Amino acid sequence: MKTNSLRTSVIGSYPFPGWLEFAAQHLDQFGSSDISEMQEDAVVAAIHDQVSAGLDVITDGEQTRFDFNLSFYGYIEGIELESASPRKFGPPAHDQRGKHQVTGELAAPRGLGAVEEFQRLKRLAPAGPTLKASVPGPYTLSGRLLPNKQYADRWALTEALLPLVRKELEGLVAAGCTEISVDEPSMSCYAFKEDARRFVDIFNRTVESVFGKTRICTHLCFGNFKARAVGFRRVSPMFPAFLDFKADEMHVEMASREFAEIELIAQIASRMDAAVGIIDVKSYYIETPQDVADRVGLCLQHAPADRLVFAPDCGLSQTARWAAKQKLRNMVAGVKMVRKELGIA
């Protein structure tokens, strides 16, 4: 068995400390140096929680972003940022996030910010864990932009964003990043009604210049805004097309769906590592180590140990920090129980 059998990982985001949430609402009271210090301290806290849990792979917790993708629009020229949510009252849902008006040619001369995030992570993280960066893919990014005469539809917007994301991936590789997650939850949400082969083409062109130079992961889920899903929650429409992704690891949401379609990880494992969402980030039930061990055992019925990676279903930004910390600790403890049984170091 490979030494990376039954890896433990995370998707990308992690809860903000309470003080950071408060400060973010009162930024006018802080200077630029104060803000930089807060951002760095928040990353230190996220690193601490992940390292303490014993994860094999960690991120910076996306502590300097507004959600996993929304901050990226601040780096893109040619758009006018939505100033207010279109719906502020009633149960939370994705329509409470506005869309940005496109006003000109899309460009990102300063990059998208992920390289700077990774450089900070590399400087602050201890030796040992693999450091992963996460970048939303162009199709997912296109979902928050309004088509116009220049970019007639979402496909045109995706094509305009694709080289911007590709350049960011190249910058991450140049900075020494050995694992990158290209997150495309919009693809998994719309695979049931759109051309899945078209999604494969978009993904592969996005990563073509870095594939083989770093470990490429992709995260496919069904949405997690305020613990609400938004997509048609079935994995089967993605296959067999998505098996042609140029990726080393494909993550699918399983825990919140009671491991429906778990047998499909066998198809993923035939082509790349299958990363299984084994922790439900939408629930405040804290999975025990034995729960996790049982779930790992279920996965082993469909895929070999050296093809399996375990992570939460999605990023943890919508989960309270006290719960996120315990869920990660128990996830690692449960996986270690199985590793010990199988004699995996």
Side-chain angles (χ1 to χ4, degrees), residues 35-345:
I35 294 171
S36 295
E37 181 179 289
M38 283 190 292
Q39 291 175 323
E40 186 154 314
D41 289 348
V43 172
V44 169
I47 291 171
H48 171 271
D49 288 0
Q50 294 172 86
V51 171
S52 296
L55 288 161
D56 298 314
V57 182
I58 67 171
T59 71
D60 72 342
E62 299 176 1
Q63 297 293 289
T64 58
R65 298 184 189 180
F66 176 52
D67 203 17
F68 86 103
N69 68 333
L70 300 188
S71 293
F72 283 78
Y73 300 108
Y75 288 91
I76 299 174
E77 294 182 353
I79 63 176
E80 181 179 335
L81 297 177
E82 176 71 30
S83 59
S85 300
R87 182 172 70 84
K88 296 185 178 181
F89 301 102
H94 283 257
D95 67 329
Q96 290 181 327
R97 291 168 161 170
K99 295 195 175 188
H100 309 303
Q101 188 75 45
V102 177
T103 58
E105 184 175 353
L106 300 181
R110 298 179 294 137
L112 296 171
V115 175
E116 290 79 1
E117 290 175 345
F118 176 73
Q119 290 170 330
R120 182 190 295 112
L121 172 63
K122 188 166 61 169
R123 177 167 51 83
L124 297 175
T130 297
L131 308 182
K132 180 169 76 170
S134 56
V135 180
Y139 184 74
T140 292
L141 279 175
S142 69
R144 292 289 163 196
L145 300 181
L146 292 170
N148 64 0
K149 290 182 179 180
Q150 186 174 0
Y151 303 107
D153 54 25
R154 183 168 185 175
W155 300 110
L157 289 165
T158 298
E159 291 297 334
L161 291 166
L162 193 155
L164 310 187
V165 175
R166 184 196 293 142
K167 185 177 180 182
E168 195 74 7
L169 301 181
E170 293 169 351
L172 283 166
V173 171
C177 187
T178 60
E179 185 158 339
I180 304 173
S181 183
V182 181
D183 300 336
E184 280 286 14
S186 289
M187 287 188 178
S188 42
C189 287
Y190 293 107
F192 77 99
K193 66 177 182 179
E194 298 287 0
D195 182 353
R197 288 287 171 191
R198 194 170 188 180
F199 285 149
V200 172
D201 174 65
I202 290 167
F203 184 90
N204 287 348
R205 285 189 289 118
T206 302
V207 304
E208 63 184 354
S209 62
V210 296
F211 182 65
K213 299 177 182 178
T214 186
R215 179 179 173 89
I216 294 293
C217 313
T218 187
H219 166 230
L220 303 166
C221 76
F222 303 104
N224 188 39
F225 178 60
K226 306 299 183 184
R228 260 78 167 182
V230 69
F232 178 64
R233 302 178 74 204
R234 303 295 291 178
V235 172
S236 54
M238 306 178 208
F239 300 139
F242 280 23
L243 297 176
D244 289 334
F245 272 17
K246 288 183 178 179
D248 301 290
E249 175 183 308
M250 179 177 289
H251 176 278
V252 287
E253 180 180 346
M254 284 288 169
S256 70
R257 302 186 310 116
E258 303 298 329
F259 292 84
E261 305 176 288
I262 187 62
E263 68 280 358
L264 293 179
I265 68 170
Q267 294 186 37
I268 300 174
S270 70
R271 305 286 283 273
M272 64 194 82
D273 288 352
V276 182
I278 203 169
I279 295 293
D280 187 352
V281 302
K282 297 178 173 68
S283 171
Y284 278 100
Y285 169 73
I286 307 298
E287 295 86 350
T288 68
Q290 188 60 56
D291 289 335
V292 173
D294 292 342
R295 294 172 184 185
V296 172
L298 173 63
C299 294
L300 283 167
Q301 295 176 29
H302 302 283
D306 63 356
R307 282 292 202 183
L308 285 170
V309 179
F310 299 105
D313 270 340
C314 195
L316 287 158
S317 64
Q318 307 295 299
T319 306
R321 189 179 174 197
W322 63 265
K325 285 196 286 188
Q326 193 59 55
K327 281 174 175 279
L328 287 182
R329 288 195 195 104
N330 290 0
M331 182 183 79
V332 172
V335 172
K336 284 183 175 179
M337 289 168 61
V338 180
R339 283 178 177 166
K340 185 176 181 180
E341 289 177 15
L342 297 178
I344 299 172

